[in-house]
Amino acid sequence: MRIIEPASPGDYQKYYDLRWTILRAPWNQPRGSERDSRDADSTHLMIIDARDAAVAVGRLHFNSIREAQVRYMAVASGQQRKGFGRRLLQALEEKATSLGAACIVLDARETAMGFYCRQGYSVEGPGHMLYNCISHVRMRKLL
Ligand SMILES: CC(C)(COP(=O)(O)OP(=O)(O)OC[C@H]1O[C@@H](n2cnc3c(N)ncnc32)[C@H](O)[C@@H]1OP(=O)(O)O)[C@@H](O)C(=O)NCCC(=O)NCCS
């Protein structure tokens, strides 16, 4: 297993496929719904296995010069709870630090809140509701 920044069109296809499969397909959302306008100026990281299959993906962008945001964290369904999410989040945090961030914010699905708490994030308040059914909480970590 290794962490890479997707570079080739093939890498990006695997990257967005996993994002869509885990975060959009279960709610019957179409291909393309897994992307947004900040993808172009974000840092993308993914963990790939020995066969180059995507195991975990996540994105980092900046809201201001000191505040970074993590979005679209997704680990392949057969690979969850094996430490890949933590490894990827740590790599995104290291990237944020190297780019000058003082903190990271994120909107955690309530079902994933415990994961982010374990990585040192604190709840700031309620976040948005996605598809009328997925509640989020705004969380922050000082780097
Ligand atoms: C949430 C997610 C990114 C976590 O990644 P993961 O690889 O499964 O988590 P890890 O194995 O690295 O877990 C690290 C720690 O968090 C805990 N943890 C993982 N998922 C958790 C969850 N949903 N709730 C509470 N704790 C969780 C693990 O038990 C582990 O605890 P430990 O420190 O005591 O060992 C992943 O499970 C996932 O993609 N879930 C579905 C999509 C999703 O909800 N994405 C997040 C959107 S905000």
Side-chain angles (χ1 to χ4, degrees):
M1 300 282 183
R2 60 199 174 96
I3 298 181
I4 64 162
E5 283 192 40
S8 67
D11 290 344
Y12 272 108
Q13 186 172 348
K14 289 176 205 165
Y15 174 87
Y16 285 117
D17 270 359
L18 184 55
R19 197 194 266 186
W20 177 77
T21 300
I22 300 299
L23 297 173
R24 293 292 180 264
W27 291 271
N28 300 314
Q29 298 304 305
R31 295 262 181 190
S33 62
E34 77 282 10
R35 305 183 188 219
D36 70 38
S37 60
R38 294 302 306 266
D39 281 326
D41 69 342
S42 295
T43 298
H44 306 274
L45 292 183
M46 72 175 167
I47 298 180
I48 55 172
D49 67 14
R51 295 178 177 179
D52 285 351
V55 170
V57 294
R59 188 187 90 174
L60 183 80
H61 71 264
F62 276 75
N63 296 326
S64 69
I65 198 160
R66 303 291 275 162
E67 183 185 275
Q69 182 165 356
V70 166
R71 284 202 70 186
Y72 300 114
M73 283 283 301
V75 177
S77 52
Q79 302 283 9
Q80 293 175 6
R81 303 270 182 153
K82 295 180 181 178
F84 295 121
R86 173 167 39 218
R87 202 169 141 193
L88 192 72
L89 186 57
Q90 284 171 353
L92 289 166
E93 291 171 356
E94 283 164 20
K95 187 78 184 176
T97 300
S98 74
L99 293 172
C103 67
I104 292 185
V105 296
L106 53 83
D107 292 315
R109 294 183 179 195
E110 278 189 343
T111 49
M113 209 173 79
F115 165 73
Y116 294 108
C117 283
R118 279 178 160 79
Q119 317 314 319
Y121 290 77
S122 303
V123 174
E124 282 199 328
H128 64 284
M129 180 74 78
L130 185 64
Y131 310 135
N132 287 322
C133 61
I134 308 175
S135 303
H136 288 76
V137 284
R138 173 54 58 126
M139 303 184 82
R140 182 180 296 268
K141 179 177 181 177
L142 299 181
L143 296 171

